[in-house]
Amino acid sequence: MSSADHQLAVGADGTPTVAGTLFIDGSWVRSTGSRAVLNPADGSRICDVDEATDDHVKAAVAAARTAFDEGVWSSAPPSERSAVLHRVADLLQADRALIARIETLDTGKTLRESEIDVDDVTAVFRYYAALALGEPGRLVDAGDPAVVSRVVHEPVGVCALIGPWNYPLLQISWKIAPALAAGCTAVLKPSEVTPLTTIVLVGLLHEAGVPAGVVNLVLGSGAVAGAGLVSSEDVDLVSFTGGLETGRAIMRSAADTVKKVALELGGKNPNIVFADADLEAALDTALTAVFLHAGQVCSAGTRLILQDSIHDEFVAAFVKRAGRIRIGPGLDPDSEMPPLVSAQHLAKVENHVRVGLAEGARLLTGGSRLAENQSGYYYRPTVFVDCSGDMRIVQEETFGPIVTVERFTTEEEAVRLGNDTRYGLAGGVWTSDRARAHRVAGRLRHGTVWINEFGPYLPQAEWGGFKLSGTGRELGPSGLAEYQEAKHVYENTAPAAQHWFSGDAKRIP
Ligand SMILES: NC(=O)c1ccc[n+]([C@@H]2O[C@H](COP(=O)([O-])OP(=O)(O)OC[C@H]3O[C@@H](n4cnc5c(N)ncnc54)[C@H](O)[C@@H]3O)[C@@H](O)[C@H]2O)c1
Ligand SMILES: C[N+](C)(C)CC=O
């Protein structure tokens, strides 16, 4: 790696070695407690990382609070903050191969996906490096020539940034890059299941010149490390990516201290295919939409919604190709679909498939582990047909390689099915009729709608959910605004007594 400060290095045999892994007030800190990090490809132990106690959480928040209150980062010139973010992007690219390898060891995802994540994150740091240069504020016409009225944006303060296990580096970067651009300080809390690339990232931030106390890292369970951040009076904002139930608990807890809360939660995303679409492209993309990263993607196209006239032919081809997907370890270049992240998650997916069968959905392929005596957590691409909106398998997020197929006749019906979910994260519509594509896109209640595509996201375009998929937005200008407070500065350049309370008052207009 490019810095001796990094706490994580990969030895000649490819195994990461770890020193102290909590980062508080500019120093790596050890804990007496630790947690084993497992490789989803074979269940083996990769390494142990430190587990934060309540005291570590308090110390990390205190460091972030002091750094913010002393202005060590927020009062640095915007050009300096921008340069640091560009340096982070440079360091990410310098260590691209190693970081991608660590992400794959930790999450199981294919190396190609991990490399794409590092590139995305690099672009996000560069995007916010540009936005960090800031704007002078907005002048407001107060209707009085003596008044100078200006709205400026200031950093929110201390941010708790809590991430999930499926895109650990990417999701935490979508938070810390704009938080730093805005001038905030932060405590990072990655998932206890996949903490490794966040440790690396914190090392890079330090190396790039982020001052002590500005970025802190705690590791451990949601119950201790996560909940301690959310309830802290010294934290001004929580940005969370993860499951719906955790998001609800965070919102409830944050209410006590009236923090700002941003939630990026789950999805149950429709992928609607009309008969006039480019069916080869639609089919190929529908496979990626749901089976990429074994379906462990918030925006996975898990609900395939097909027009009647193409249903049977499309399903037959889809099933054939799903059955041919090569399942294997993420580090194997031949693997197209990786394992699930953990034994616990595999059990959850298996249970959901049992629910689908009990509800009467018809299983056409998959529905089982790759092998009964497997050491990793592999599950076959699984296709259910004869599905309807009253089934749990259609409504609840499985977060695995499971697709349900529904059918429609009219455009009206397609829109109704596309919106028949408590979630509202993402959806796709396939048709060669552009007018129809935009009509349907306009009516879908989802934060992202893809037309003749499924999956892309861009640093400069907002990402987030309607309905139970969350509150707030990441990426784009709104992703920066999450970490800012608007302040109105009203200056009277010709002050004069108003005598509001005097008998001979000159009244305020
Ligand atoms: N909308 C998006 O952009 C997006 C992106 C990725 C993942 N997700 C969602 O994330 C979920 C999968 O991630 P997961 O299983 O890691 O989610 P999770 O809710 O189990 O955990 C997420 C994080 O929250 C922490 N946590 C748990 N309980 C907590 C508490 N009481 N207080 C504070 N923190 C707590 C965990 O330790 C972890 O760091 C899926 O639902 C997926 O759709 C959404
Ligand atoms: C936001 N995204 C699509 C990168 C990851 C969702 O799990």
Side-chain angles (χ1 to χ4, degrees):
M1 304 210 64
S2 53
S3 164
D5 280 338
H6 290 171
Q7 296 309 100
L8 236 153
V10 177
D13 64 348
T15 311
T17 51
V18 184
T21 50
L22 312 177
F23 192 72
I24 300 174
D25 205 11
S27 300
W28 294 100
V29 173
R30 304 289 329 220
S31 171
T32 48
S34 66
R35 180 185 290 263
V37 182
L38 304 181
N39 181 349
D42 58 12
S44 64
R45 188 177 140 278
I46 303 170
C47 59
D48 289 346
V49 295
D50 292 284
E51 184 89 348
T53 61
D54 200 34
D55 284 344
H56 290 121
V57 175
K58 288 194 171 87
V61 171
R65 184 79 260 165
T66 303
F68 185 77
D69 292 345
E70 290 179 352
V72 294
W73 182 247
S74 58
S75 61
S79 58
E80 204 175 298
R81 296 208 302 261
S82 174
V84 169
L85 294 182
H86 274 302
R87 273 203 293 281
V88 176
D90 294 342
L91 292 171
L92 282 162
Q93 281 304 297
D95 285 339
R96 179 178 185 264
L98 181 54
I99 296 169
R101 184 182 166 84
I102 293 172
E103 192 73 321
T104 288
L105 282 170
D106 203 3
T107 61
K109 67 173 64 180
T110 63
L111 202 50
R112 190 170 155 208
E113 286 177 56
S114 295
E115 287 164 357
I116 290 170
D117 287 359
V118 179
D119 291 345
D120 170 84
V121 161
T122 305
V124 167
F125 272 99
R126 292 215 190 281
Y127 176 73
Y128 284 110
L131 290 201
L133 292 172
E135 28 94 0
R138 189 176 91 244
L139 277 177
V140 176
D141 181 359
D144 180 344
V147 170
V148 180
S149 164
R150 209 156 57 93
V151 175
V152 295
H153 292 99
E154 298 185 351
V156 162
V158 176
C159 304
L161 309 180
I162 303 175
W165 49 255
N166 64 333
Y167 282 75
L169 177 71
L170 178 146
Q171 299 293 172
I172 217 85
S173 299
W174 285 14
K175 301 180 189 305
I176 189 63
L180 289 175
C184 293
T185 63
V187 181
L188 275 48
K189 207 306 263 174
S191 167
E192 59 273 37
V193 183
T194 56
L196 300 185
T197 48
T198 306
I199 300 171
V200 175
L201 177 68
V202 168
L204 297 183
L205 292 167
H206 182 50
E207 184 179 346
V210 174
V214 173
V215 172
N216 304 273
L217 170 68
V218 294
L219 304 177
S221 70
V224 174
L229 293 175
V230 177
S231 61
S232 170
E233 288 189 350
D234 280 325
V235 170
D236 301 296
L237 171 150
V238 178
S239 176
F240 167 79
T241 299
L244 173 60
E245 287 315 320
T246 315
R248 283 182 165 138
I250 285 175
M251 210 166 192
R252 275 193 289 268
S253 169
D256 287 340
T257 45
V258 196
K259 294 181 167 54
K260 288 184 83 174
V261 178
L263 301 175
E264 295 290 339
L265 308 177
K268 196 71 188 179
N269 313 291
N271 188 10
I272 301 169
V273 185
F274 284 87
D276 65 356
D278 176 335
L279 294 180
E280 176 49 31
L283 176 71
D284 188 65
T285 310
L287 287 158
T288 325
V290 66
F291 297 130
L292 185 87
H293 195 9
Q296 301 167 113
V297 181
C298 55
S299 49
T302 51
R303 295 179 56 213
L304 190 52
I305 300 177
L306 302 176
Q307 196 156 24
D308 270 327
S309 58
I310 55 155
H311 177 279
D312 294 355
E313 194 189 341
F314 196 99
V315 166
F318 187 89
V319 165
K320 201 165 157 191
R321 285 191 56 184
R324 281 201 223 125
I325 290 174
R326 291 194 300 272
I327 307 167
L331 287 179
D332 180 343
D334 286 335
S335 298
E336 294 175 325
M337 197 183 92
L340 295 169
V341 75
S342 64
Q344 190 191 18
H345 192 56
L346 175 63
K348 184 193 158 201
V349 170
E350 288 181 314
N351 184 52
H352 219 208
V353 170
R354 279 193 289 275
V355 167
L357 290 169
E359 287 177 316
R362 192 155 54 91
L363 179 68
L364 291 190
T365 187
S368 62
R369 298 176 179 203
L370 185 59
E372 272 319 309
N373 56 354
Q374 62 188 10
S375 52
Y377 313 122
Y378 302 93
Y379 200 81
R380 293 181 190 279
T382 298
V383 181
F384 279 114
V385 290
D386 300 345
C387 298
S388 54
D390 55 356
M391 294 177 172
R392 279 179 56 196
I393 193 138
V394 173
Q395 292 298 335
E396 295 174 12
E397 191 184 46
T398 311
F399 226 50
I402 317 294
V403 66
T404 61
V405 184
E406 297 161 85
R407 54 203 301 163
F408 69 93
T409 308
T410 63
E411 180 179 318
E412 191 62 30
E413 212 181 337
V415 170
R416 186 182 62 71
L417 290 177
N419 286 330
D420 182 20
T421 165
R422 302 175 305 159
Y423 291 108
L425 189 58
V429 53
W430 292 82
T431 173
S432 56
D433 179 342
R434 287 195 72 198
R436 171 158 63 195
H438 286 276
R439 267 196 316 271
V440 172
R443 293 179 67 194
L444 287 177
R445 302 271 302 150
H446 296 272
T448 296
V449 178
W450 293 290
I451 296 174
N452 296 327
E453 184 51 278
F454 206 102
Y457 35 87
L458 305 169
Q460 57 277 29
E462 276 72 1
W463 177 268
F466 288 24
K467 302 196 276 184
L468 294 190
S469 290
T471 61
R473 289 292 179 272
E474 297 197 306
L475 303 181
S478 311
L480 179 66
E482 290 286 349
Y483 297 93
Q484 293 175 319
E485 294 278 17
K487 179 185 276 181
H488 178 199
V489 181
Y490 181 109
E491 181 188 5
N492 186 348
T493 60
Q498 297 296 323
H499 301 295
W500 177 273
F501 292 112
S502 329
D504 56 350
K506 190 170 95 191
R507 298 298 299 267
I508 295 173

